[in-house]
Amino acid sequence: MARIDDDAGEAGARAGVNDYDAYAEAYAAENETSLVNASYERPAMLALAGDVTGRRILDAGCGAGPLTAALRDRGAVVTGVDASAGMLALAARRLGDGADLHRADLRERLPFGDGTFDDVVASLVLHYLEDWGPTLAKMRRVLRPGGRLIASVDHPFVAYTHREPRPDYSATTSYTFDWSFGGRTVPMTFWRRPLHAMTDAFPAAGFLLAVLSEPRPDPAGRELLPDAYDDLATKTCFLFFTAEAPPAATGSVPTRSA
């Protein structure tokens, strides 16, 4: 079986209502086949990553490992990090012997040396954080010069319209709702922020923002759920970013302590 290094300590217990350990199996099953994940978010992340053959990639918030596995199948050398022991157990089951998995909280110092990775992928992770700055700086530290951070988040326009009365769009605010999957309902809390706060966070952490993307779903999804596909294809859902660590030749951008 894969070895899981536990660097989280008590950090996982701070997740509050977002208790992935309690419903890891049900969430992983939903994520595996749902239209927004399997036919939209993961294909978009893989398209942004492009040819990853031989690249050292950190999957930050890897969950049960579907993106980790997809990147590995494309030739990458992937390390997974997640705060949930339950999700990491599922990732270990999926990825098998030799998988490099670590239990760690993305709000804490990452257990890797400076410049360890060519890429960091953060799939639907950042919207769990009130402050992106410290976590982005930690990701920046473990990237080599010229490395990439590829991230997806809830689209700020969707988050803004999620509850009535509408919040102050320019403020960073939390919102909670009951998420239903696998025949159960669980409480979830996320943080929303305006688009300019998202784009400003990357250069503040030492990145060069290279791509901001609103892709359409993978056309293959229409064969599975045609009505749901057409609905998803005409709405905003997630927002995708590619941010780059400055190349060594051009000098580095100052970063926060990570």
Side-chain angles (χ1 to χ4, degrees):
M1 287 294 292
R3 178 175 62 87
I4 301 174
D5 290 333
D6 190 343
D7 302 288
E10 296 301 316
R14 295 201 299 267
V17 294
N18 302 332
D19 185 7
Y20 278 97
D21 283 344
Y23 43 79
E25 292 271 4
Y27 174 82
E30 174 77 10
N31 183 277
E32 192 76 25
T33 60
S34 72
L35 184 67
V36 294
N37 296 112
S39 297
Y40 179 40
E41 194 273 340
R42 276 198 298 279
M45 291 289 284
L46 293 169
L48 285 173
D51 182 3
V52 295
T53 304
R55 293 182 73 87
R56 300 162 300 164
I57 300 179
L58 175 64
D59 188 352
C62 65
L67 183 59
T68 311
L71 291 166
R72 190 179 68 173
D73 289 346
R74 287 161 172 77
V77 180
V78 191
T79 297
V81 167
D82 203 277
S84 166
M87 297 301 284
L88 285 173
L90 295 177
R93 185 191 309 169
R94 174 197 296 270
L95 298 168
D97 293 343
D100 187 10
L101 300 172
H102 301 256
R103 185 171 179 236
D105 191 317
L106 297 179
R107 295 167 294 187
E108 308 295 339
R109 183 177 176 86
L110 294 171
F112 311 106
D114 295 0
T116 299
F117 300 101
D118 299 304
D119 300 309
V120 174
V121 294
S123 172
L124 302 178
V125 168
L126 293 174
H127 48 228
Y128 290 99
L129 304 175
E130 180 178 4
D131 184 0
W132 287 12
T135 296
L136 290 180
K138 291 169 176 59
M139 294 175 175
R140 167 72 180 84
R141 180 186 65 79
V142 300
L143 277 170
R144 64 165 177 79
R148 304 175 300 172
L149 167 62
I150 303 168
S152 59
V153 297
D154 282 341
H155 199 294
F157 300 166
V158 175
Y160 173 68
T161 61
H162 190 74
R163 283 285 184 268
E164 296 290 353
R166 299 285 170 82
D168 177 358
Y169 173 74
S170 63
T172 297
T173 57
S174 65
Y175 63 103
T176 300
F177 66 94
D178 289 333
W179 195 356
S180 297
F181 54 82
R184 63 185 301 180
T185 299
V186 298
M188 301 294 294
T189 295
F190 300 93
W191 288 89
R192 57 191 160 205
R193 71 206 72 230
L195 177 59
H196 71 82
M198 293 181 176
T199 56
D200 289 349
F202 293 101
F207 286 101
L208 306 173
L209 185 58
V211 175
L212 189 154
S213 177
E214 298 173 302
R216 291 173 64 83
D218 183 344
R222 178 178 277 116
E223 298 178 7
L224 301 175
L225 297 165
D227 292 339
Y229 178 91
D230 290 338
D231 182 61
L232 178 61
T234 59
K235 294 180 177 178
T236 55
C237 186
F238 301 133
L239 192 61
F240 297 80
F241 302 92
T242 299
E244 299 173 350
T250 61
S252 61
V253 177
T255 63
R256 305 181 188 185
S257 174

